[in-house]
Amino acid sequence: MRTYLLELIKRKDLLVYLVKSGLKAEHRNSYLGYLWWLLDPLLGALVYYFLVVIVMGRGGENYGVYLVIGQVAWRWTNASINNSSRSIIQYTSIIQQVNLPKAIFPMTRVISQLINFVFGLVVVGSFLLLFSIPLHWEIVYLPFVIIVQLFFLLAISLLVAYISVFIRDIGNILGHILRIWFYASPVIWEGSRLPDQYYWIEAFNPMSYILNGYRDVLMYGNTPNIKILMIIGIVSMCMISGLIYYYNRNEHKIIKAL
């Protein structure tokens, strides 16, 4: 385990290279290029704003800000997990030729999307100005919420990447699972408005607390639910440790499956 972690640290240059190459490849052939890092969350928010507010006549006060925060945070989740499912398989040729820790590949996907997320925060800031919502001192909790989501996504991505090597259908199923998870999370609908019999959907959904954490510090000026977020972070760190240990013990199986 210690040797594997040291190997991960030793390969930090590879991690940086994979992150950079992934970001460059994302919009390599598009005319607007990196501008899509800003346009993607903005256009996504506008589509749902039109659907919910204009068409359905719903959405509360400052719903545009509520929506764009949910879109930006969910975009990081969706892209990280989707991309991680193909992360090891995509580099089969390299893995078969060079001995390196396989856990590095899903990690690069999460970190790449973290950079996209930071650009999404620029869009969030623009909406805060547009809706005249001032920042409060609770903004100091923002890095804490980001770190919790980072650990949470690393844990899921490591798990999904490993399973996908042996069960290739996971990539196809994952899209449907993420779609269900999207509608089960308060991304476009406002939390605490579910009927009582469906309260468990929000109560047992980690993304609900992460999304609410962002909105508390950016939109409402409230202290996020530190206790629950700490639990999510600690459980995620335990999962990451367990999965890295499992990778270390089963890397030969990955090579054989590829």
Side-chain angles (χ1 to χ4, degrees):
M1 180 69 172
R2 181 174 177 273
T3 304
Y4 193 83
L5 289 173
L6 289 174
E7 186 67 19
L8 280 172
I9 295 171
K10 180 181 175 182
R11 300 284 184 172
K12 60 181 182 298
D13 291 338
L14 174 61
L15 187 146
V16 172
Y17 169 76
L18 291 173
V19 169
K20 288 182 178 179
S21 62
L23 291 172
K24 289 178 181 178
E26 195 167 338
H27 301 298
R28 180 180 295 162
N29 298 318
S30 64
Y31 288 108
L32 297 179
Y34 298 130
L35 188 59
W36 281 111
W37 291 354
L38 300 175
L39 289 177
D40 272 344
L42 176 60
L43 294 176
L46 290 176
V47 168
Y48 283 109
Y49 187 87
F50 175 80
L51 176 66
V52 175
V53 178
I54 307 300
V55 176
M56 301 176 64
R58 297 185 179 182
E61 184 181 3
N62 297 324
Y63 179 70
V65 180
Y66 183 96
L67 183 59
V68 77
I69 291 173
Q71 282 285 299
V72 168
W74 178 258
R75 182 167 169 261
W76 182 14
T77 300
N78 184 71
S80 294
I81 297 174
N82 260 323
N83 293 343
S84 293
S85 67
R86 303 183 297 271
S87 59
I88 297 177
I89 300 169
Q90 182 180 349
Y91 292 100
T92 299
S93 58
I94 296 176
I95 291 171
Q96 291 176 339
Q97 296 177 35
V98 183
N99 182 25
L100 46 81
K102 314 305 178 288
I104 199 171
F105 296 108
M107 287 180 173
T108 60
R109 293 298 186 267
V110 178
I111 296 171
S112 296
Q113 295 306 319
L114 170 60
I115 295 172
N116 283 340
F117 171 80
V118 172
F119 277 86
L121 290 179
V122 176
V123 179
V124 173
S126 301
F127 270 69
L128 291 172
L129 288 173
L130 181 65
F131 284 78
S132 301
I133 298 176
L135 293 178
H136 303 82
W137 71 266
E138 285 83 3
I139 191 73
V140 299
Y141 289 108
L142 180 59
F144 169 69
V145 182
I146 293 173
I147 290 171
V148 170
Q149 186 175 5
L150 174 63
F151 287 148
F152 178 65
L153 293 179
L154 283 171
I156 296 177
S157 296
L158 285 167
L159 178 63
V160 168
Y162 184 86
I163 295 174
S164 296
V165 173
F166 303 96
I167 307 176
R168 302 297 173 93
D169 294 332
I170 288 294
N172 298 322
I173 299 171
L174 203 57
H176 300 288
I177 294 174
L178 286 169
R179 192 173 298 114
I180 294 170
W181 194 9
F182 172 83
Y183 288 111
S185 303
V187 180
I188 61 174
W189 52 268
E190 297 189 71
S192 303
R193 292 197 175 186
L194 289 175
D196 292 339
Q197 63 267 34
Y198 298 114
Y199 173 73
W200 60 270
I201 294 176
E202 184 178 1
F204 294 100
N205 183 355
M207 277 305 298
S208 296
Y209 298 99
I210 293 172
L211 290 168
N212 290 336
Y214 284 120
R215 288 167 179 144
D216 282 334
V217 302
L218 292 170
M219 186 176 174
Y220 301 126
N222 296 329
T223 301
N225 194 329
I226 300 293
K227 181 179 178 181
I228 297 295
L229 290 175
M230 282 287 290
I231 292 173
I232 294 171
I234 292 170
V235 171
S236 298
M237 290 174 66
C238 291
M239 284 183 62
I240 292 169
S241 300
L243 286 163
I244 288 177
Y245 175 79
Y246 198 78
Y247 269 79
N248 180 39
R249 297 294 298 270
N250 295 277
E251 294 232 323
H252 63 284
K253 294 181 180 179
I254 295 177
I255 296 172
K256 188 179 294 185
L258 293 174

